[in-house]
mmCIF file of all heavy atoms in Angstrom:
data_model
loop_
_atom_site.group_PDB
_atom_site.id
_atom_site.type_symbol
_atom_site.label_atom_id
_atom_site.label_comp_id
_atom_site.label_asym_id
_atom_site.label_seq_id
_atom_site.Cartn_x
_atom_site.Cartn_y
_atom_site.Cartn_z
ATOM 1 N N ARG A 116 236.316 247.117 50.448
ATOM 2 C CA ARG A 116 237.198 246.973 49.250
ATOM 3 C C ARG A 116 238.100 248.193 49.092
ATOM 4 O O ARG A 116 237.612 249.352 48.992
ATOM 5 C CB ARG A 116 236.494 246.824 47.833
ATOM 6 C CG ARG A 116 237.445 247.006 46.655
ATOM 7 C CD ARG A 116 236.734 246.392 45.444
ATOM 8 N NE ARG A 116 236.883 244.972 45.377
ATOM 9 C CZ ARG A 116 236.790 244.164 44.324
ATOM 10 N NH1 ARG A 116 236.737 244.871 43.053
ATOM 11 N NH2 ARG A 116 236.908 242.983 44.280
ATOM 12 N N PHE A 118 241.777 249.041 47.193
ATOM 13 C CA PHE A 118 242.893 248.608 46.359
ATOM 14 C C PHE A 118 244.238 249.316 46.799
ATOM 15 O O PHE A 118 244.135 250.348 47.385
ATOM 16 C CB PHE A 118 242.686 248.989 44.898
ATOM 17 C CG PHE A 118 241.642 248.111 44.131
ATOM 18 C CD1 PHE A 118 241.220 248.447 42.811
ATOM 19 C CD2 PHE A 118 241.150 246.960 44.657
ATOM 20 C CE1 PHE A 118 240.339 247.637 42.178
ATOM 21 C CE2 PHE A 118 240.185 246.157 44.058
ATOM 22 C CZ PHE A 118 239.802 246.539 42.726
ATOM 23 N N GLU A 148 238.733 242.590 48.919
ATOM 24 C CA GLU A 148 239.991 242.767 48.163
ATOM 25 C C GLU A 148 240.585 244.007 48.931
ATOM 26 O O GLU A 148 240.158 245.220 48.650
ATOM 27 C CB GLU A 148 239.978 242.899 46.685
ATOM 28 C CG GLU A 148 241.337 243.007 46.085
ATOM 29 C CD GLU A 148 241.515 242.993 44.547
ATOM 30 O OE1 GLU A 148 240.416 242.690 43.857
ATOM 31 O OE2 GLU A 148 242.518 243.317 43.985
ATOM 32 N N HIS A 153 242.980 238.980 48.298
ATOM 33 C CA HIS A 153 241.635 238.989 47.884
ATOM 34 C C HIS A 153 241.093 237.569 48.353
ATOM 35 O O HIS A 153 240.892 236.677 47.485
ATOM 36 C CB HIS A 153 241.590 239.154 46.311
ATOM 37 C CG HIS A 153 240.216 239.381 45.899
ATOM 38 N ND1 HIS A 153 238.948 239.358 46.639
ATOM 39 C CD2 HIS A 153 239.770 239.651 44.519
ATOM 40 C CE1 HIS A 153 237.981 239.701 45.854
ATOM 41 N NE2 HIS A 153 238.382 239.792 44.588
ATOM 42 N N HIS A 183 248.993 242.679 30.315
ATOM 43 C CA HIS A 183 247.924 243.585 30.535
ATOM 44 C C HIS A 183 248.432 244.990 30.131
ATOM 45 O O HIS A 183 249.629 245.293 30.216
ATOM 46 C CB HIS A 183 247.531 243.568 32.035
ATOM 47 C CG HIS A 183 246.079 243.978 32.335
ATOM 48 N ND1 HIS A 183 245.756 245.301 32.318
ATOM 49 C CD2 HIS A 183 244.930 243.291 32.488
ATOM 50 C CE1 HIS A 183 244.424 245.414 32.505
ATOM 51 N NE2 HIS A 183 243.911 244.189 32.669
ATOM 52 N N LEU A 187 248.391 246.330 37.445
ATOM 53 C CA LEU A 187 247.448 245.804 38.453
ATOM 54 C C LEU A 187 248.045 245.394 39.693
ATOM 55 O O LEU A 187 249.232 245.072 39.719
ATOM 56 C CB LEU A 187 246.751 244.613 37.698
ATOM 57 C CG LEU A 187 245.820 244.868 36.473
ATOM 58 C CD1 LEU A 187 245.160 243.558 36.028
ATOM 59 C CD2 LEU A 187 244.915 245.983 36.647
ATOM 60 N N PRO A 188 247.315 245.134 40.749
ATOM 61 C CA PRO A 188 247.728 244.802 42.081
ATOM 62 C C PRO A 188 248.293 243.360 42.056
ATOM 63 O O PRO A 188 247.974 242.634 41.131
ATOM 64 C CB PRO A 188 246.409 244.897 42.953
ATOM 65 C CG PRO A 188 245.530 245.697 42.188
ATOM 66 C CD PRO A 188 245.844 245.599 40.804
ATOM 67 N N ALA A 190 247.292 241.510 44.530
ATOM 68 C CA ALA A 190 246.482 240.837 45.493
ATOM 69 C C ALA A 190 245.905 239.575 45.089
ATOM 70 O O ALA A 190 245.963 238.618 45.887
ATOM 71 C CB ALA A 190 245.273 241.811 45.776
ATOM 72 N N VAL A 191 245.464 239.370 43.916
ATOM 73 C CA VAL A 191 244.796 238.162 43.459
ATOM 74 C C VAL A 191 245.931 237.021 43.381
ATOM 75 O O VAL A 191 245.622 235.976 43.994
ATOM 76 C CB VAL A 191 244.066 238.352 42.087
ATOM 77 C CG1 VAL A 191 243.603 236.986 41.618
ATOM 78 C CG2 VAL A 191 242.879 239.222 42.268
ATOM 79 N N LYS A 244 246.529 235.283 35.411
ATOM 80 C CA LYS A 244 246.281 236.547 36.040
ATOM 81 C C LYS A 244 247.541 237.492 35.669
ATOM 82 O O LYS A 244 248.601 237.011 35.658
ATOM 83 C CB LYS A 244 246.260 236.494 37.572
ATOM 84 C CG LYS A 244 246.028 237.786 38.324
ATOM 85 C CD LYS A 244 244.547 238.229 38.155
ATOM 86 C CE LYS A 244 244.303 239.568 38.806
ATOM 87 N NZ LYS A 244 244.621 240.736 37.965
ATOM 88 N N ASN A 245 247.189 238.669 35.419
ATOM 89 C CA ASN A 245 248.151 239.725 35.292
ATOM 90 C C ASN A 245 248.436 240.320 36.607
ATOM 91 O O ASN A 245 247.577 240.374 37.507
ATOM 92 C CB ASN A 245 247.868 240.815 34.317
ATOM 93 C CG ASN A 245 248.850 241.979 34.446
ATOM 94 O OD1 ASN A 245 248.596 242.955 35.231
ATOM 95 N ND2 ASN A 245 250.021 241.924 33.680
ATOM 96 N N CYS A 280 239.865 235.286 37.564
ATOM 97 C CA CYS A 280 238.950 235.849 38.501
ATOM 98 C C CYS A 280 237.994 236.839 37.935
ATOM 99 O O CYS A 280 237.018 237.150 38.523
ATOM 100 C CB CYS A 280 239.838 236.634 39.552
ATOM 101 S SG CYS A 280 240.734 238.052 38.951
ATOM 102 N N LEU A 281 238.300 237.367 36.601
ATOM 103 C CA LEU A 281 237.545 238.374 35.982
ATOM 104 C C LEU A 281 237.486 239.692 36.909
ATOM 105 O O LEU A 281 237.493 239.628 38.036
ATOM 106 C CB LEU A 281 236.099 237.911 35.768
ATOM 107 C CG LEU A 281 235.861 236.559 35.014
ATOM 108 C CD1 LEU A 281 234.414 236.283 34.745
ATOM 109 C CD2 LEU A 281 236.684 236.511 33.672
ATOM 110 N N PRO A 282 237.528 240.840 36.134
ATOM 111 C CA PRO A 282 237.171 241.055 34.750
ATOM 112 C C PRO A 282 238.474 240.696 33.959
ATOM 113 O O PRO A 282 239.657 240.899 34.422
ATOM 114 C CB PRO A 282 236.960 242.576 34.584
ATOM 115 C CG PRO A 282 237.626 243.199 35.779
ATOM 116 C CD PRO A 282 237.587 242.207 36.867
HETATM 117 C C1 AN0 B 403 241.631 244.042 39.884
HETATM 118 C C2 AN0 B 403 242.944 243.311 40.291
HETATM 119 O O1 AN0 B 403 243.594 242.809 39.500
HETATM 120 O O2 AN0 B 403 243.223 243.316 41.499
HETATM 121 C C3 AN0 B 403 240.436 243.409 40.462
HETATM 122 C C4 AN0 B 403 240.383 241.874 40.103
HETATM 123 C C5 AN0 B 403 239.299 241.222 40.912
HETATM 124 N N1 AN0 B 403 241.612 243.986 38.404
HETATM 125 C C6 AN0 B 403 241.543 245.105 37.703
HETATM 126 O O3 AN0 B 403 241.683 246.257 38.220
HETATM 127 C C7 AN0 B 403 241.326 244.937 36.199
#
Side-chain angles (χ1 to χ4, degrees):
R116 169 162 282 202
F118 286 174
E148 187 173 346
H153 193 357
H183 203 284
L187 297 188
V191 169
K244 185 70 182 89
N245 168 268
C280 65
L281 306 182

